[in-house]
Amino acid sequence: MTTVVAAPTSGQPNPPETARKVRSAAAGADRVFQLTLRGAGLTVLVIMTTIGLFLFYRGSQALGDAGIWKFITTQAWQPSSHNFGIATVITGTLLIAAVAVTFAVPLATGVALYISEYAPRKLRQALINLVDLMAAVPSVVYGLWGFYFLQEKIIPLAKWISTTFGWFPFLGISGVDPNDPLADKTVYESSTFIAGIVVALMIMPIISSVMRESFSQSPVGEREGAFALGATRWGMIRSVVLPFGRGGMIGGTMLGLGRAMGETIAVYMLISPVFQIQPHILRSGANSVSALIALKFGAASPFELSALFAAGLALFMLTLVVNFGASAVIARTRSGALSDA
Amino acid sequence: MTTTTPLYTGGRHAAGRPALDAPAAAQAPQAPPAVEVRRSTATRGRADIIIIIGAAVAALSLAALLTARMIPTSSLVVFVVIAYLAFLVLYGLLVSLEDDGRTVLDRLASVVVHSLAGFAMLALVFIVVFTFFRGSQALGHFNFFTSDMQQAGPLDPLTVGGILHAAAGTLIEITIALLIVVPLGLTCAVFLNETRGAFARVVRTVAEAMTALPSIVAGLFILASVVLALGLARSGLAAALAIGVMMLPIVIRASDVVLRLVPGSLKEASYAMGAPQWRTVWHVILPTARSGLTTSVLLATARGIGETSPVLITAGFGSGLNFNPLSGPMVSLPLITFVFSGSPANTMIARGFGAAAVLLALVLVLFALARVFGGRQAGELTARVQRRRAQESLRDLERFNSRNRAPVQMGSPDG
């Protein structure tokens, strides 16, 4: 059509139309701008990847001295006599994290369900703010509170649990007569249990906010369907909200696990360090990788420092694996596909 | 009249319709319409409240009996645990007298969820109150804010020495960290949003994984790279860098999420007007997301300001005021809290709690600021900004009008 209209005015045959070239390459100021953006991205990437490289480079001396397998399986920490390993601290880290997650997950589920399902609409934003604030309270403040307040309140509970449920592995304490009223209370002090409870309060907010995010995204239609079929509120939660938010629950728990393993100062303030695997969580004496680093770096010789770097590398890799797992789990589920976490 | 005929409320037209109104008026005395009582749709009635109170009283009594007579303990914690468990059992029992199993489960779940949430909130409030309560001893002395610890030994009373050096150190370190983190983090977040492709995906994945970087590992990294490899002494700058490494992924992630919420139509409008990419980012995307970006930076600051372990490894420890981040130890509030509270002297512990209270107050202020400045959706403006925009727009209109008039006025003398 256009050729017919155009022909009389031009008076000569049109050149054949070709597809116009779309230039997407930026020019001038935009070129500079995009390079700046790329540079920032590259800088961040370099910083983040060199963390692992530097830890490995500094720790390789100690790792080479001990050998990987011996480093992982040795319990003692005497780098000066070349007898050191992370068996105690890794086990301790995992035990503290396990106690923390055991307490934090029910608490976080309760808070998340309350905010997304039970709380009055007006209260909701205030509660979300409170939980966020809880995440921003410095860990040294949690440590102070745990050491100067919680510890003495928890000891009777620890004693009660160990006497009542002592038959359960991990919970028993050998060598203490529970019926002896004069028994030393220090047996129950500075234990994995107390450190785990304080860390549980610290990781609760992150778990809770990931859970709440995925709970509140559960489809309204399915909720109403459940109510229409005569479900009680709990019935609706169990059949719609919890299955929908399962990815958020697992992912949030793993994120919390990662945080719990990396926690330093509160754990360091609460435990009394031991260098022997301590499976009795109620008994005094515990350890973790980060507490070990905070404890030993001050007076460390270059070789001891190298051993500490190796321990830090182990912690770094452990948390990375847990976190990548968490984000993979969150991204794969139905609720996670929509959320930011 | 109209009140008795709810079907037809024609008060204004009543005069024109005597025939319709008259029978209604006549019927009214014979059969007064039943006053409709609003049906209660509340899920909880009086009986439920009585059941809850009854179960609570019974549980408390049972727990008191058990802890006083049967279980050899005098601990409040054990008492509360027993009372709580007894309450759950008794409450379930009472509900099951009237309702079926599903209702019992529903009620119990409701109680558990409410109590867990209440417990968590109580714990938070208690931690804050406890810190301020124990800190008040030191906070009452004015010299606590105006002097450092050079003159004060561990056994000196609270009237000597203070935390000025730690407060100054905290401010210097967080300022340096912010100077690095804010430009780099925001640029990286813009990069993640403006660029597609494998490289951006890799950067995003790595940054997200690093949000959970253990803070002590951030400290170790700076110790390995800046202190041991580059030869910088343990100092304020090293501590600031360690805090920065820890804050960077937090800022990137939060800003990335905020920038993603900027409406695509705004960007497209800007491109359609012929604006280049950098102008679109600078004049459209960043201002639209300003509120959220402010929040993300403030929250990351609150996290960074309270970090102890990276500072512990990289800053060194001293007792004097030091304004130079390049040399000499520079302590910060969390570090001084940590060191003081480990001391056996009571006055030092009191000072530790005082420092913790100041730190907590700083975090609370940052948090409140984040909520005041932020918390709005992308592109949602405050009333003040909206007024300013309207005025700017009016000025533009006048400018355009005067431009349009100008050639006419200039041309008129000639013509």
Side-chain angles (χ1 to χ4, degrees), chain B residues 111-155:
Chain B
V111 167
V112 170
V113 166
H114 276 83
S115 53
L116 284 176
F119 175 72
M121 298 304 148
L122 213 68
L124 169 69
V125 171
F126 189 76
I127 288 170
V128 173
V129 170
F130 177 77
T131 309
F132 280 109
F133 173 71
R134 288 288 297 265
S136 61
Q137 204 187 343
L139 293 180
H141 300 278
F142 187 64
N143 59 296
F144 190 65
F145 301 100
T146 54
S147 56
D148 58 20
M149 288 300 288
Q150 262 176 335
Q151 308 296 325
L155 293 175

Side-chain angles (χ1 to χ4, degrees), chain A residues 30 34 129 148 234 268 323, chain B residues 77 106 212 277-278 338 341 371:
Chain A
D30 262 4
Q34 282 189 351
N129 281 346
Y148 286 101
W234 174 245
Y268 179 78
N323 282 310
Chain B
V77 177
D106 179 48
Q277 192 180 17
W278 71 270
F338 171 69
S341 66
R371 288 301 164 223

Side-chain angles (χ1 to χ4, degrees), chain A residues 182-258:
Chain A
L182 298 176
D184 202 358
K185 272 190 175 177
T186 52
V187 185
Y188 301 100
E189 271 177 7
S190 312
S191 62
T192 307
F193 183 66
I194 291 166
I197 287 180
V198 173
V199 174
L201 280 178
M202 302 175 62
I203 62 171
M204 192 282 284
I206 175 80
I207 305 180
S208 170
S209 64
V210 174
M211 282 187 185
R212 176 181 53 76
E213 191 100 334
S214 64
F215 287 161
S216 60
Q217 278 169 353
S218 60
V220 181
E222 287 175 33
R223 286 162 185 257
E224 287 171 355
F227 280 134
L229 289 170
T232 55
R233 195 198 292 249
W234 174 245
M236 186 278 287
I237 290 173
R238 225 189 50 191
S239 58
V240 176
V241 176
L242 291 184
F244 186 85
R246 197 186 299 136
M249 290 179 75
I250 297 172
T253 306
M254 290 180 77
L255 274 187
L257 186 67

